[in-house]
């Protein structure tokens, strides 16, 4: 075995050992005619290639490179960083890529190779891209005018072939349908499909032809493909009716297949065609011609004798160009129906093509030479070599090898592709360059071969970068330093020699506060450090040698700035203002102050203190929390102001101060105080001559709260059933609505409600205003006696309802008799009800005994005592009537004293479980908006409770204390419309109330008490009022 045979054997063995870890395949399918930058695929994603190094966990910087020859215009491009495949501006035309091919749609493809670098992660990816057809070509007839001759004696349903249309597209985009336009009902069209899938149109004669009547028919034939959108074309079909020719030619063989070698000389006979005709004479003369489907290129290769039917080679054949030729030959005797024969010529292969070597470099050469570094590792990939042979069978088998011993070898990756790579480490000092040939030889007889020359030159490398003595350099320096302060000396060493060992130093980014000597590595401060602006500096220092290319390394430098106490504490505000509500409990939190210090450590520890406060507040020295040491009353003091001081913990401490103001916000905790009228027993004379609109009385009150809590509203809630008077809701002036008449003569009692507009719960006070309508008030004692007697009338009833009982004693006696008679009837009914409800009454009495000391059980003795008491006062005998008593020493004294209202119940009402309510201990009560109007109930069917108005000394009102609060189950429901409107804005949904002239009213405030928690303020208001009256 010689050396050549050894190399051939080694190459064959190498071809069988494919490295699947290095060589991988991908197949993509795309449509032709795609625009530029259309994504086709993603190599790392489709092959599951990770960019993360499994061993180190770091990211691999992979490079994807399309292997192509210089000057080529690739059909696709590959992103070098992501491995994505895109189309280019070069048009992908399926008909051009697979020109002349009748292959299936999925068998038109092109291939390319992509390598993945660097060398230690090398992959060779073979990509096969299948190009599918788009309907970009319309089917076309061989000629725009088609002539057919048909004898006039042609039978009906006879068929005549029409030249087929050709569509470069395939599949459904190819020829699908033919149509005859304007057939004139004489001709029809039929489609015959061949075993190869071709569609041949045939013209059908549908009527008898008569040449003497019409010898020419002109129509159109249309061909369509099946694409979307559909494409079509038309041709003119001209039919000529000829004389009778009884017989048409017939081929001895209609399907003929022959083989001929591609090196057959010119003039070689290919096949002899034979056709016969049963006619005689000129009708039996046969002429051989090519059919319309035969291409012009095939006609140039093969000659057809028109007379003998012999086909010969007239030009050199090349199997690699076209391996199969299909010829359609027509035999015609001049009639319209020629005979058809198909000749298939198979060109056989001979070993006439040497192998082809396609050398595509992975490492780009310079002027045909590949430059490698001596530090490149073993198996460094240099080039991708693809070998091929246009011949077939044994003539196409190619082996590839390197002709001599060099530190390179060929590594088979596919059956026809090799990688040229280094087989050992390279040494520049041993060999500086290599030149060798790559041989590709086929196995034909005789064998043909091809060679490619490869040149490789080695480069010396700067192998060692500089190395720092310390990879991380840590320094510390105090702030407020001087410029140019020496910090340290940075040094690095390089194991190379010569210029490769010369080192220069350079500062990295974020090092503007420092200077570094490029030669010596001395590091100095270029600016004054301020720790409060920046506490730490982290930057890099680079050491670079002078090699080609230069190598460098970096070290991290960390400079920590030490703190000095150069900053005073700072308050977030120079003046802190807090707003708190009055009545806030003692030791409540009123605010937080904050102070900070930009220094560090003990220098930033801040302690807070109050400078000038009379122990009204307590300040936490560390959190800044301010708590009250007093209970706030806005009416006593509306704000507090003091200074606070912040001191840091430095050796030489620094401090700062700020001002603090605590503003006390008002709460609606004071009811209105009545200034005028001075007493609930005073009165005003209203002469009959008074005109409407004139002021007949005044009501004036003050509220020591502020804002809306001090805004007052005056309302008449009872005693004005005739609408004779009107009160101004703002000023409190009572005016006449209409001129009084003689029927209005007498005493009128107006119950005036004075309410503030406080939020969320308004407070109010009731005052009695007596107006005596008459020409004169000569007998004042009589009027005061009337006033005293009106106290027996509940506040929710008008004193005029009894038709002036206090002016006519006889009339009163008559009314009492009438009422007494009515009460007798009521008592009879009442006794009947008691008998029927006796059991229920006992059960209620048992329950009532458990409710507390303030509820009293009924007894017969109390009933008798009350009856005797009522007889002494000459009151109505019925215990179901309400009455009012007043206790006073003298009329003159009662003018200036307030009246407290209390409620007592008749014994009969107590027996029904109503009980007696202690107003002094009752808590404030609110009523739901839908509470029943108990006043109406009392008037119509139930006994009414009596108001006892007694002159008494003023009661000191505590804050938020309400006098004369009525209980839920025994009160006159009402109030005032204006009050209900005001309370509707409150958050308390159960504080609203209503009032009416017929119903009762609900009071949540004192009945005209003289109270003032701020005597100075009240005196000032009274003084202004008196001055106003004098004016």
């Amino acid at each position: 075995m010689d050396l050549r045979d050894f190399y051939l054997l080694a190459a064959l063995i190498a071809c069988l050992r494919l490295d699947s870890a290095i060589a991988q395949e991908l197949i993509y399918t795309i449509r032709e005619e795609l625009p530029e930058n259309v994504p086709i695929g993603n190599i790392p994603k489709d092959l599951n290639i990770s960019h993360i190094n499994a061993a180190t966990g770091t990211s691999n910087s992979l490079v994807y490179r399309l292997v192509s020859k210089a000057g080529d215009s690739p059909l696709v491009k590959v992103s070098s960083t992501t491995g994505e495949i895109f189309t280019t501006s070069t048009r992908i035309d399926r008909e051009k890529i697979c020109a002349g091919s009748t292959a299936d749609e999925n068998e038109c493809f092109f291939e390319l190779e992509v390598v993945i670098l660097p060398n230690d992660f090398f992959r060779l990816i073979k990509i096969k891209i299948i190009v599918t057809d788009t309907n970009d070509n319309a089917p076309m007839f061989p000629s725009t005018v088609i002539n057919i001759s048909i004898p006039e004696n042609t039978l009906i349903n006879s068929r005549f072939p029409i030249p087929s249309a050709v569509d470069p597209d395939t599949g459904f985009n190819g020829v699908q349908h033919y149509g005859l336009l304007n057939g004139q009902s004489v001709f029809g069209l039929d489609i015959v499909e061949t075993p190869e899938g071709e569609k041949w149109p045939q013209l059908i004669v549908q009527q008898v032809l008569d040449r003497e009547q019409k010898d020419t028919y002109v129509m159109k034939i249309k061909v369509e493909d099946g694409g979307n959108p559909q494409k079509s074309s038309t041709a003119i079909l001209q039919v000529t009716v000829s004389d009778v020719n009884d017989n048409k030619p017939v081929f001895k063989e209609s399907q003929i297949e022959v083989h001929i070698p591609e090196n057959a000389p010119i003039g070689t006979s290919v096949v002899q065609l034979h056709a016969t005709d049963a006619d005689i004479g000129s009708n039996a003369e046969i002429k051989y011609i090519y059919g319309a489907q035969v291409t012009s290129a095939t006609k140039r290769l093969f000659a057809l004798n028109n007379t003998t039917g012999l086909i010969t080679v007239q030009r050199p054949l090349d199997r690699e160009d076209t391996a199969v030729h299909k010829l359609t030959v027509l035999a015609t005797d001049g009639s319209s129906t020629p005979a058809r024969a198909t000749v298939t010529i198979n060109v056989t292969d001979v070993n006439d093509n040497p192998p082809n070597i396609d050398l595509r470099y992975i490492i780009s050469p310079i002027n045909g030479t590949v430059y490698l570094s001596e530090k490149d590792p073993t198996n460094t990939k240099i080039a991708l070599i693809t070998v091929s042979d246009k011949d077939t069978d044994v003539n196409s088998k190619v082996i590839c090898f390197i002709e001599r011993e060099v530190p390179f070898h060929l590594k088979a990756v596919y059956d026809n592709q090799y990688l040229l790579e280094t087989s050992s480490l390279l040494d520049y000092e041993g060999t500086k360059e290599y030149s060798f040939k790559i041989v590709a030889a086929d196995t034909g007889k005789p064998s043909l071969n091809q060679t490619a020359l490869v040149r490789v030159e080695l480069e010396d490398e700067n192998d060692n970068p500089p190395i720092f003595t310390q990879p991380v350099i840590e320094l510390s320096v105090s702030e407020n330093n001087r410029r140019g302060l020496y910090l340290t000396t940075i040094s690095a060493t390089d194991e190379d020699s010569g210029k490769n060992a010369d080192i220069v130093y350079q500062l990295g980014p974020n090092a503007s506060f420092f200077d570094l000597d490029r030669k010596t590595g001395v590091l100095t401060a270029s600016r004054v450090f301020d720790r409060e602006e920046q506490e730490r500096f982290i930057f890099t220092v680079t050491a670079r040698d002078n090699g080609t290319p230069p190598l460098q390394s970096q070290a991290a430098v960390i400079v920590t700035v030490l703190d000095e106490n150069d900053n005073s504490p700072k308050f977030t505000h120079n003046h802190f203002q807090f707003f708190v509500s009055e009545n806030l409990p003692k030791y409540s939190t009123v605010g937080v102050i904050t102070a900070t210090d930009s220094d560090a450590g003990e220098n930033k520890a801040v302690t807070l203190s109050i400078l000038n406060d009379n122990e009204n507040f307590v300040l936490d020295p560390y959190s800044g929390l301010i708590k009250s040491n007093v209970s706030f009353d806005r009416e006593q003091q509306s704000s507090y102001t003091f200074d606070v001081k912040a001191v840091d913990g430095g050796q030489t401490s620094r401090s700062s101060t700020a001002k603090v103001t605590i503003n006390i916000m008002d709460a609606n905790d004071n009811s209105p105080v009545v200034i005028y009228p001075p007493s609930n027993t005073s009165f005003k004379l209203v002469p009959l001559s008074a005109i409407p609109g004139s002021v007949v009385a005044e009501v004036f009150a003050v509220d020591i709260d502020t804002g809306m809590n001090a805004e007052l509203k005056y309302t008449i809630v009872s005693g004005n059933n005739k609408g004779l008077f009107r009160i101004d809701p703002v000023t409190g002036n009572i005016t006449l609505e209409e001129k009084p008449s003689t029927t209005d003569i007498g005493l009128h009692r107006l119950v005036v409600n004075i309410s503030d507009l406080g939020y969320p719960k308004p407070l109010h006070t009731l005052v009695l205003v007596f107006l005596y309508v008459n020409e004169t008030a000569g007998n004042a004692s009589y009027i005061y006696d009337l006033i005293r007697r009106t106290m027996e009338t509940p506040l929710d009833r008008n004193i005029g309802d009894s038709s002036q009982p206090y002016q006519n004693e006889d009339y009163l006696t008559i009314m009492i008799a009438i009422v007494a008679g009515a009460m007798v009837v009521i008592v009879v009914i009442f006794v009947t009800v008691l008998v029927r409800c006796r059991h229920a009454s006992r059960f209620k009495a048992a329950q009532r005994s458990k409710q507390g000391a303030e509820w009293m059980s009924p007894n017969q003795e109390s009933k008798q005592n009350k009856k005797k008491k009522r007889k002494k006062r000459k009151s109505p005998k019925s215990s179901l009537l309400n009455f009012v008593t007043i206790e006073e020493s003298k009329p003159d004294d009662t003018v200036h004293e307030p009246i407290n209202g209390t409620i007592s119940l008749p014994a009969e009402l107590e027996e029904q479980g109503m009980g007696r309510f202690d107003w002094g201990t009752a808590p404030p009560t609110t009523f739901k908006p839908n509470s029943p109007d108990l006043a109406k109930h009392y008037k119509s069917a139930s006994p009414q409770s009596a108001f006892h108005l007694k002159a008494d000394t003023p009661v000191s009102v505590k804050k938020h204390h309400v006098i004369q609060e009525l209980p839920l189950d025994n009160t006159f429901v009402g109030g005032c419309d204006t009050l209900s409107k005001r309370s509707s804005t409150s958050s308390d949904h159960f504080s609203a109330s209503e009032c009416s002239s017929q119903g009762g009213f609900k009071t949540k405030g004192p009945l005209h008490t003289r109270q003032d928690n701020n005597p100075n303020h009240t005196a000032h208001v009274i003084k202004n009022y008196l001055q106003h009256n004098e004016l």
Side-chain angles (χ1 to χ4, degrees), residues 552-734:
Q552 66 182 33
S553 60
Q554 291 183 335
V557 180
I558 302 175
V559 179
T560 301
V561 181
L562 303 179
D563 182 55
E564 292 184 354
N565 192 21
D566 54 349
N567 291 279
S568 300
K570 289 185 179 179
F571 286 95
T572 55
H573 299 83
N574 293 329
H575 187 189
F576 293 89
Q577 292 205 44
F578 303 103
F579 295 84
V580 297
S581 177
E582 64 175 328
N583 304 321
L584 195 68
K586 193 175 181 180
Y587 305 119
S588 298
T589 299
V590 298
V592 177
I593 61 174
T594 305
T596 59
D597 196 311
S598 302
D599 292 323
E602 291 296 326
N603 296 333
K604 71 175 299 182
V606 178
T607 303
L608 302 172
S609 61
I610 297 178
L611 294 180
N612 54 354
D613 180 62
N614 296 329
E615 299 182 353
N616 292 324
F617 299 93
V618 178
L619 173 63
D620 189 296
Y622 304 107
S623 66
L625 189 69
I626 303 176
K627 291 189 175 182
S628 62
N629 204 20
V630 294
S631 180
F632 302 121
D633 187 349
R634 189 205 60 80
E635 288 73 30
Q636 297 294 331
Q637 186 170 349
S638 62
S639 66
Y640 299 83
T641 301
F642 54 88
D643 294 329
V644 292
K645 183 179 182 181
V647 181
D648 64 23
Q651 291 184 352
T652 303
S653 62
R654 292 173 171 266
S655 63
S656 60
T657 60
K659 186 178 181 180
V660 178
T661 299
I662 311 296
N663 298 287
I664 312 303
M665 299 175 64
D666 183 49
N668 192 23
D669 55 350
N670 291 281
S671 299
V673 178
V674 178
I675 305 300
Y676 192 85
S679 170
N680 278 320
T681 60
S682 61
F683 72 94
K684 281 277 189 174
L685 175 65
V686 180
L688 291 176
S689 60
I691 62 174
S694 60
V695 177
V696 297
E698 293 177 323
V699 177
F700 178 70
V702 295
D703 194 318
I704 61 176
D705 292 322
T706 61
M708 295 299 293
N709 296 334
E711 294 289 332
L712 301 181
K713 185 173 184 179
Y714 300 87
T715 310
I716 298 175
V717 297
S718 180
N720 193 29
N721 60 324
K722 296 183 178 181
L724 185 61
F725 305 100
R726 177 182 178 275
I727 189 168
D728 189 298
V730 178
T731 64
N733 291 340
I734 300 175

Side-chain angles (χ1 to χ4, degrees), residues 904-931:
S904 63
L905 300 178
E908 291 82 358
L909 198 59
E910 289 182 343
E911 186 171 339
Q912 295 183 10
M914 299 297 291
R916 187 180 303 249
F917 192 85
D918 185 359
W919 290 99
T921 61
T925 306
T926 57
F927 302 90
K928 297 183 180 180
N930 58 355
S931 299

Side-chain angles (χ1 to χ4, degrees), residues 268-287:
T268 300
S269 296
V270 179
V271 65
Q272 174 68 59
L273 300 177
H274 294 281
T276 59
D277 193 318
D279 292 327
I280 60 174
S282 60
N283 290 335
E285 295 179 358
I286 298 175
K287 184 178 180 181

Side-chain angles (χ1 to χ4, degrees), residues 797 819 823 870 875-883 906 943-944 946:
R797 304 179 70 181
V819 172
M823 290 305 298
R870 284 194 292 270
S875 300
K877 295 181 179 180
S878 175
S879 61
L880 297 180
L881 291 178
N882 295 327
F883 58 90
Q944 297 178 341

